[in-house]
Amino acid sequence: MKVLVACEFSGVVRDAFRDRGHVAWSCDLEPGMGMHHIQGDVLELLSEDWDMIIAHPPCTHLAVSGARWFRDKRKEQQQAIAFFMLFANAAPKVCIENPVSIMSTVWRKPDQIIQPWQFGHGETKATCLWLQGLEPLTPTDIVEGREQRIWKMPPGPDRARLRSITYAGIASAMASQWG
């Protein structure tokens, strides 16, 4: 299967699919980790024939955690919504991942909300999945410890980058269940 992981610099999801024999590429504006990463504008790749796209569009102007600033960034928010929607029908199988966001109101409710603790990581981080042509993920390893490490992360230049990395257990579940 030919898989594009959009807006991913870490390669965690890409590598989970490659480990299972798929032709998977990640694309992000930032330099990527590992091989099989395209640094550039993902929009230039959407016209290719992908069997599956897993998109992680930036959530800065969409996440409800930033709702108090929405009034001051309407233009940026409209651009973020438009970018998010470019992935909605971009391939036969699509997963768009984002935190709890205004997309539930602007477009539709997510098909699933997952947590890292359902996939072997003792942390909380509600993650919404909007799916097309894919079944909701089945939890693979429910763990007891539930820490808010991501939410408690201190401010700093790498905070957004570190917060955006997909948990390996979730990536593995995506590859094994959808691949």
Side-chain angles (χ1 to χ4, degrees):
M1 183 164 43
K2 188 176 171 187
V3 181
L4 172 64
V5 185
C7 309
E8 179 192 50
F9 74 89
S10 69
V12 174
V13 177
R14 174 203 65 215
D15 291 346
F17 277 88
R18 290 192 79 84
D19 289 348
R20 286 170 177 77
H22 299 284
V23 176
W25 290 88
S26 58
C27 180
D28 197 84
L29 293 173
E30 294 191 37
M33 297 179 176
M35 297 177 60
H36 306 101
H37 178 78
I38 300 166
Q39 183 179 356
D41 187 346
V42 71
L43 300 181
E44 296 175 11
L45 300 175
L46 290 184
S47 61
E48 292 187 27
D49 289 326
W50 301 100
D51 298 307
M52 180 187 306
I53 295 176
I54 300 173
H56 307 273
C59 65
T60 305
H61 305 298
L62 302 174
V64 296
S65 59
R68 62 183 169 190
W69 294 287
F70 283 174
R71 182 184 54 201
D72 299 328
K73 57 181 185 178
R74 290 198 171 118
K75 179 181 176 187
E76 294 90 342
Q77 191 175 67
Q78 289 306 310
Q79 291 170 337
I81 292 167
F83 184 72
F84 182 106
M85 292 305 299
L86 290 172
F87 298 104
N89 295 302
K93 297 177 181 180
V94 176
C95 170
I96 307 173
E97 176 273 338
N98 237 232
V100 176
S101 73
I102 63 166
M103 296 311 296
S104 296
T105 303
V106 172
W107 182 34
R108 64 178 174 86
K109 301 274 187 230
D111 296 286
Q112 183 176 24
I113 300 175
I114 60 173
Q115 291 278 354
W117 55 262
Q118 296 173 305
F119 300 91
H121 303 277
E123 301 179 27
T124 61
K125 182 185 179 195
T127 303
C128 299
L129 305 178
W130 287 265
L131 306 172
Q132 174 185 294
L134 298 167
E135 293 295 319
L137 291 175
T138 301
T140 57
D141 183 13
I142 295 176
V143 297
E144 293 303 315
R146 311 256 168 94
E147 175 65 33
Q148 292 185 328
R149 183 185 63 83
I150 297 296
W151 182 77
K152 292 178 179 178
M153 202 176 274
D158 293 327
R159 185 174 193 257
R161 237 175 108 83
L162 294 171
R163 288 173 55 108
S164 72
I165 297 173
T166 301
Y167 288 87
I170 293 172
S172 179
M174 288 175 168
S176 66
Q177 296 178 36
W178 296 339

